[in-house]
Amino acid sequence: MITIENLHKSFGHKKVLNGIDLTVNDGETVALIGASGSGKTTLLRCINFLERAQEGKLTIDGKTVDFKHTSRKDILAVRRKTAMVFQQYGLFKNMNAVKNVSAGLTIVQKIPKEKAKEMAVSALEKVGLADKLESYPGELSGGQQQRVGIARAMVLNPHVIMLDEPTSALDPELVGEVLTVIKKLADAGQTMMIVSHEMNFVRKTANRIIFMDEGVIAEQGTPGEIFTHPKNDRTKQFLKNFTDEFVYMI
């Protein structure tokens, strides 16, 4: 379980997160939606300490840290329980797919190279890239690169995988292949937090939808509640921008 209490984050005088309280249960897929600048990505980055929040507490898998008083040891402990999938893939261009996936195992977790390679191959097979093990990022499509990024997160066996707009950098025809992999992870019970503008996808995949607006959680509920009977006026206004006209095959 992940619990966030009274999380505040500012950049200079600009308040980005204003007292976030949130619980994510084990095995749950939570989707964060809302307009650009509402604080969705910053929330994920604070959880993984890619950004330092000024106030609040985080409890993940039984370990609690205070954002005001975190040590390097605390940060490393949290990061070992989390994995991030980024918009721009973040792959090492001089490493093939297997090495990209196994790097975290050998460098951070100190797993022997041969064992790490076996784990990386298994993860790549699970995301449908068994035939691309030796391929370098420049030889892969955007969808394939993002699937390598997902395999890299999976192989760490994290308590939670956080995905920040995992399809935003992809051509439209490549979106479906990445969403299919994420849907399989959700169905397998992997705890995930996903920032996405793919409304059809989050409606089908998430257990719970969080609508964020101006740094606060304006509304949350099941996909049925949020998409069919939203209560907050701002949620209603936001969802009017989306239709079910385009449905990705997953």
Side-chain angles (χ1 to χ4, degrees):
M1 180 182 290
I2 303 165
T3 303
I4 299 162
E5 302 172 75
N6 195 35
L7 175 60
H8 291 259
K9 170 64 181 176
S10 298
F11 292 103
H13 296 293
K14 181 176 176 57
K15 193 81 169 179
V16 180
L17 296 173
N18 190 15
I20 298 293
D21 292 308
L22 176 63
T23 296
V24 178
N25 297 312
D26 291 343
E28 188 176 26
T29 297
V30 172
L32 306 175
I33 66 172
S36 297
S38 58
K40 307 180 302 295
T41 292
T42 301
L43 176 56
L44 291 191
R45 292 176 65 85
C46 285
I47 293 171
N48 202 38
F49 284 92
L50 294 173
E51 299 287 354
R52 293 294 295 268
Q54 284 87 16
E55 187 176 343
K57 291 183 179 180
L58 168 68
T59 301
I60 180 168
D61 197 23
K63 178 176 178 57
T64 300
V65 295
D66 187 325
F67 286 108
K68 273 187 177 180
H69 309 289
T70 49
S71 66
R72 179 175 173 79
K73 183 179 179 181
D74 290 332
I75 293 172
L76 290 174
V78 169
R79 286 181 174 168
R80 288 193 180 102
K81 298 178 184 293
T82 65
M84 283 283 289
V85 176
F86 300 95
Q87 296 180 35
Q88 298 293 337
Y89 324 135
L91 302 181
F92 297 108
K93 297 185 184 300
N94 63 335
M95 293 184 181
N96 63 26
V98 170
K99 288 184 178 178
N100 261 288
V101 175
S102 64
L105 296 172
T106 56
I107 296 170
V108 179
Q109 298 188 5
K110 308 301 181 185
I111 292 175
K113 287 186 178 180
E114 285 306 310
K115 177 62 176 175
K117 182 177 179 179
E118 290 177 15
M119 295 169 68
V121 169
S122 177
L124 287 164
E125 289 174 347
K126 289 177 181 176
V127 299
L129 293 176
D131 60 337
K132 301 294 183 181
L133 303 178
E134 302 300 324
S135 298
Y136 287 80
E139 301 169 328
L140 300 172
S141 70
Q144 290 168 338
Q145 290 185 63
Q146 190 61 290
R147 282 188 280 158
V148 173
I150 294 171
R152 181 175 57 186
M154 289 167 50
V155 80
L156 298 173
N157 193 29
H159 187 75
V160 58
I161 295 177
M162 296 180 289
L163 302 101
D164 180 21
E165 291 283 7
T167 61
S168 66
L170 300 178
D171 292 333
E173 65 268 23
L174 301 177
V175 170
E177 66 185 66
V178 174
L179 298 186
T180 297
V181 171
I182 298 171
K183 180 67 164 61
K184 287 180 179 178
L185 281 175
D187 291 344
Q190 170 66 57
T191 306
M192 290 189 288
M193 297 180 69
I194 305 172
V195 171
S196 180
H197 284 107
E198 304 288 350
M199 294 297 110
N200 284 305
F201 167 67
V202 300
R203 187 173 188 171
K204 293 179 179 180
T205 304
N207 304 112
R208 185 156 43 107
I209 307 290
I210 306 289
F211 176 70
M212 294 187 65
D213 185 47
E214 296 185 349
V216 301
I217 294 175
E219 186 170 359
Q220 61 179 298
T222 66
E225 291 168 340
I226 296 298
F227 286 99
T228 308
H229 302 292
K231 297 176 181 178
N232 184 284
D233 287 340
R234 184 67 186 92
T235 311
K236 295 175 184 178
Q237 181 184 3
F238 174 80
L239 291 175
K240 281 183 180 178
N241 296 318
F242 299 93
T243 72
D244 291 328
E245 191 174 338
F246 301 103
V247 179
Y248 294 102
M249 300 304 294
I250 58 176

